Amino acid sequence: MNFLRFDDGGVPRYGRLDGEMVAPLEAAPWEGGEEAGRPLPYAGLTLLPPVPPGGKVLCIGRNYLAHAKELGNEVPAEPLVFLKPSTSLLAHGGTVVLPPESERVDFEGELALVIGRRARRVGREAFADVVFGITPALDISARDLQKKDGQWWRAKGFDTFCPCGPVVATGVDASDLGLRTILDGAVKQDGRTSRMIFDLPALVSWVSQAMTLEPGDLLLTGTPEGVGPLAPGQILELEIEGLPRLSVRVEKEV
Ligand code: MG
């Protein structure tokens, strides 16, 4: 099933996408939210990021061999983890804003896991219980600041630097899905999730050793090779096999 979040006259609501229509839910789907109210046409909705603000956005760096090499990095011996603030979340159809502090902002297309259940120090066998679903996500990265700052809080953390959605899909085996990043209609990244260095159950287990995972948290799982720079006016899209395409615009901050 495909779930989303939308603005209902100033009130955020969850819904289940069914063809061209959305059935509103009374609570988040990972909290067991039941359908309530009249179905609404998908085309008329103002979408929100599919997870609520305030949760964690955990990210894995250098989790595909060819991507680690293209940036001249070693393959990590353990998963390389960092966080983006939830203020970086951006809905499908939104605009990635290029900040004046950076001269090189890259796209990174990634599969993201949506956590559905609280988890602390779980093993890889807990994966199916802990993960609610998957969503496409872009780890927008100010590459020059990433090198300069040391800490990645700013390079990865500007507002709008984590587009995701439009939906969270459940019941999908994410272990070998195609992932394509498309810039102005040209395919820039074309990878498969099966090529990760650390697989999805390993990542969930690893991050849960350090911090409690909570429902609505996101875990971006790394990007394949082919990353590159963004420019104002471009359309950036991410397609994960079997899911609706994530699409955002790119503009300079004014
Ligand atoms: Mg990344």
Side-chain angles (χ1 to χ4, degrees):
M1 286 196 276
N2 289 332
F3 295 96
L4 50 73
R5 208 165 138 266
F6 64 98
D7 183 296
D8 186 13
V11 179
R13 293 193 76 177
Y14 293 91
R16 183 177 62 81
L17 180 63
D18 184 11
E20 301 297 307
M21 301 299 284
V22 172
L25 306 179
E26 60 188 7
W30 45 84
E31 292 167 353
E34 299 284 336
E35 294 182 16
R38 276 188 308 118
L40 304 163
Y42 173 73
L45 297 183
T46 301
L47 292 186
L48 299 171
V51 294
K56 290 188 286 301
V57 182
L58 287 149
C59 304
I60 308 298
R62 300 168 194 164
N63 198 27
Y64 290 80
L65 182 62
H67 169 64
K69 287 191 167 168
E70 76 180 341
L71 294 183
N73 293 308
E74 296 295 316
V75 176
E78 296 174 334
L80 172 64
V81 187
F82 59 96
L83 288 138
K84 285 160 112 65
S86 79
T87 42
S88 66
L89 293 173
L90 178 71
H92 170 72
T95 301
V96 171
V97 178
L98 305 177
E101 290 83 359
S102 175
E103 291 178 358
R104 170 73 188 234
V105 177
D106 280 5
F107 57 83
E108 296 186 359
E110 310 199 4
L111 171 82
L113 304 175
V114 177
I115 301 301
R117 188 176 290 185
R118 218 155 193 269
R120 165 81 167 141
R121 290 203 185 276
V122 293
R124 54 180 295 129
E125 74 286 350
F127 179 79
D129 284 335
V130 170
V131 173
F132 177 78
I134 60 170
T135 191
L138 289 154
D139 174 20
I140 306 295
S141 305
R143 204 64 78 197
D144 47 359
L145 301 182
Q146 186 179 5
K147 290 198 181 85
K148 181 179 139 197
D149 289 351
Q151 297 284 326
W152 297 356
W153 69 282
R154 179 166 67 151
K156 301 279 193 175
F158 279 98
D159 289 0
T160 74
F161 271 25
C162 191
C164 55
V167 303
V168 177
T170 63
V172 179
D173 177 356
S175 61
D176 184 24
L177 295 177
L179 180 164
R180 298 194 311 155
T181 309
I182 302 147
L183 190 61
D184 280 344
V187 175
K188 297 292 187 180
Q189 294 183 282
D190 190 356
R192 296 202 72 81
T193 58
S194 52
R195 296 193 195 133
M196 289 179 190
I197 296 168
F198 300 102
D199 70 6
L200 299 171
L203 295 176
V204 169
S205 174
W206 176 261
V207 295
S208 82
Q209 306 307 313
M211 59 185 75
T212 302
L213 297 174
E214 294 181 308
D217 285 351
L218 269 186
L219 173 58
L220 278 65
T221 58
T223 198
E225 70 274 20
V227 302
L230 294 169
Q234 290 178 322
I235 301 290
L236 174 62
E237 296 175 288
L238 173 60
E239 191 168 77
I240 290 182
E241 190 179 344
L243 271 69
R245 198 183 269 199
L246 169 64
S247 177
V248 291
R249 297 181 56 79
V250 181
E251 291 298 345
K252 216 174 163 60
E253 186 171 337
V254 289

